[in-house]
Amino acid sequence: MHIKKIVLFTVGTLIVASVGLLHFIVPGILESSINRIKPHEPYVIRPDAQALHDTLFIADLHTDSMLWKRNFLKEASVGHVDLPRLQRGNVALQVFSATTKSPEGQNYDKNTSNSDRITALVQAQMWPLSTWDSIYERAKYQLEKLYRIAEDSDGTFRLLLSKQDMASFVSAREQGKRGEKIVAGIYLIEGAHPLEGDLNNLDKLFDQGLRITGLTHFFDNRLGGSLHGVSGEGLTPFGESVIKRANELGLMIDVAHASPQIVNDVLELSQQPLILSHGGLNGICEGARNLDDKLMKRFAEKGGLIGIGYWDAAVCDFTPEGVVKSIRYGIDLLGVEHIALGSDYDGATEVLFDTSELAILTQTMLDQGFTEHEIRMVMGENVKRFMLANLPDQT
């Protein structure tokens, strides 16, 4: 009997240790392998560039930080974004994307919805059981994480839901509350598959705080074709109903990862301008990730805003100089009022600077002859204007 107890105790200890390893260690190891910062010498920022950078309203249209098991209020040694690094980089506004399903072996050419690597990550991080087999619940859970961060931040982070919230935040930011840089977030779903084919779920997510909806991600869904799917189709009837309801609610629409035909269809149907939260321009970085310049011109003519990414598939050359070269190309092609930042931080990307190092973009733009007006618009004033115009009225 004594030996049996020892065996049972040993087995139980091993099980607990295995669960602890899975829950606390494996997610960090996984993230450090896919959310990489390429080793580089520290950037030396000139006083003139730093002085300008410190006066900017900086906004980024896309990060996937809520997918990962980290304390967002503490600086981490992995990943690209957390509150201390946002503050150090002088970032005012960060759009947080919820990634909810992504196929095994995902690529920029062709994927199906038959597999899902997010499920294993959700289970390893011990998310609530409801999220293990529900894409909708995964979107809801990541939004709840943002609310908890705001509650625990002692006023240094807030979630924005309306024009009034945005205006109040801009005012508070300018006042420099308690000498600290407060940061705001807006919530986005990357692909509308969390709706699970039910338009009522769009209303539910909106009521909970969703303010930007993507349409597709790495695979075709019930709304239509992905840029990386198999059909290439445009909006389905369900997709059309989502666009119309999003307009009625005041939800902004993100066409990142959408097929060219979906983008054309949405431009015809939507009564509000669109964003492309993270990507690049095919004329300077040819590849399956970027839509062609002709379509992007139409997108801009309809008031759209594109966030230029910091990773190879978006800009090809992901050095600071390469990112800024893509920004210049975008300004010359579409107009400065249509260009913003869209990092895709924490989205399984390798970059050469994290959010704390954004002053290198300001300095590189100065070095490449950008005017102060152009720098201010691209770094965040365009996003500020867009959000003040397109967030819903107070609800």
Side-chain angles (χ1 to χ4, degrees), residues 242-262:
V242 169
I243 300 304
K244 292 175 183 177
R245 185 58 183 151
N247 281 178
E248 291 168 356
L249 291 169
L251 267 171
M252 290 170 279
I253 296 167
D254 178 15
V255 295
H257 294 287
S259 71
Q261 189 55 55
I262 275 193

Side-chain angles (χ1 to χ4, degrees), residues 4-314:
K4 183 177 181 181
K5 287 182 178 180
I6 292 174
V7 170
L8 289 174
F9 176 79
T10 302
V11 170
T13 301
L14 289 173
I15 291 172
V16 170
S18 298
V19 171
L21 177 68
L22 187 68
H23 184 42
F24 293 107
I25 298 176
V26 171
I29 293 173
L30 176 61
E31 184 180 8
S32 65
S33 71
I34 64 174
N35 289 331
R36 300 180 301 273
I37 304 172
K38 189 174 182 178
H40 60 274
E41 292 296 319
Y43 297 114
V44 178
I45 307 301
R46 299 188 310 271
D48 65 314
Q50 190 66 58
L52 174 58
H53 188 81
D54 289 344
T55 68
L56 301 177
F57 183 97
I58 300 173
D60 175 12
L61 286 172
H62 197 98
T63 183
D64 294 291
S65 306
M66 292 302 102
L67 186 60
W68 305 100
K69 185 177 178 58
R70 288 193 258 125
N71 182 349
F72 191 78
L73 298 177
K74 303 292 184 182
E75 184 160 350
S77 60
V78 297
H80 306 138
V81 177
D82 47 51
L83 185 59
R85 283 186 281 183
L86 287 167
Q87 291 173 315
R88 198 158 70 250
N90 193 33
V91 178
L93 177 62
Q94 179 67 63
V95 175
F96 292 89
S97 168
T99 300
T100 53
K101 181 175 179 177
S102 188
E104 298 286 352
Q106 70 176 35
N107 59 76
Y108 289 126
D109 296 315
K110 185 176 290 188
N111 303 273
T112 71
S113 62
N114 296 332
S115 63
D116 177 29
R117 63 181 184 173
I118 301 299
T119 298
L121 182 63
V122 163
Q123 293 172 345
Q125 296 185 134
M126 298 299 289
W127 285 17
L129 285 174
S130 61
T131 67
W132 289 24
D133 60 1
S134 170
I135 301 175
Y136 167 81
E137 290 292 337
R138 293 176 192 176
K140 178 183 172 185
Y141 178 69
Q142 291 179 70
L143 176 56
E144 290 169 349
K145 287 176 70 173
L146 278 175
Y147 278 113
R148 287 195 297 272
I149 290 167
E151 291 173 0
D152 295 341
S153 71
D154 194 26
T156 55
F157 177 81
R158 61 177 68 175
L159 194 60
L160 305 182
L161 303 178
S162 67
K163 291 182 176 74
Q164 291 82 356
D165 287 349
M166 181 71 186
S168 175
F169 165 68
V170 170
S171 176
R173 176 89 182 178
E174 291 171 350
Q175 293 171 15
K177 180 182 178 184
R178 294 180 302 171
E180 295 176 318
K181 295 280 181 70
I182 59 172
V183 178
I186 294 174
Y187 181 66
L188 175 155
I189 51 173
E190 188 156 24
H193 30 280
L195 303 185
E196 298 179 335
D198 184 351
L199 193 59
N200 290 327
N201 282 337
L202 187 67
D203 286 69
K204 288 164 66 176
L205 286 169
F206 176 81
D207 290 343
Q208 292 157 6
L210 177 68
R211 290 301 177 262
I212 307 172
T213 182
L215 304 177
T216 60
H217 193 204
F218 272 96
F219 55 92
D220 303 339
N221 62 21
R222 298 185 195 187
L223 282 77
S226 164
L227 186 58
H228 329 290
V230 296
S231 72
E233 70 178 357
L235 287 172
T236 64
F238 179 67
E240 292 177 356
S241 70
V242 169
I243 300 304
K244 292 175 183 177
R245 185 58 183 151
N247 281 178
E248 291 168 356
L249 291 169
L251 267 171
M252 290 170 279
I253 296 167
D254 178 15
V255 295
H257 294 287
S259 71
Q261 189 55 55
I262 275 193
V263 178
N264 275 308
D265 290 349
V266 178
L267 287 171
E268 288 291 336
L269 186 60
S270 178
Q271 300 302 307
Q272 294 176 297
L274 314 176
I275 68 168
L276 194 157
S277 65
H278 59 304
L281 295 154
N282 212 53
I284 192 169
C285 180
E286 185 175 358
R289 180 60 181 82
N290 297 332
L291 296 167
D292 68 63
D293 286 5
K294 183 178 179 180
L295 181 54
M296 292 312 299
K297 284 184 177 180
R298 185 162 178 249
F299 171 87
E301 288 167 359
K302 294 279 191 173
L305 186 63
I306 177 173
I308 301 296
Y310 308 158
W311 78 103
D312 56 356

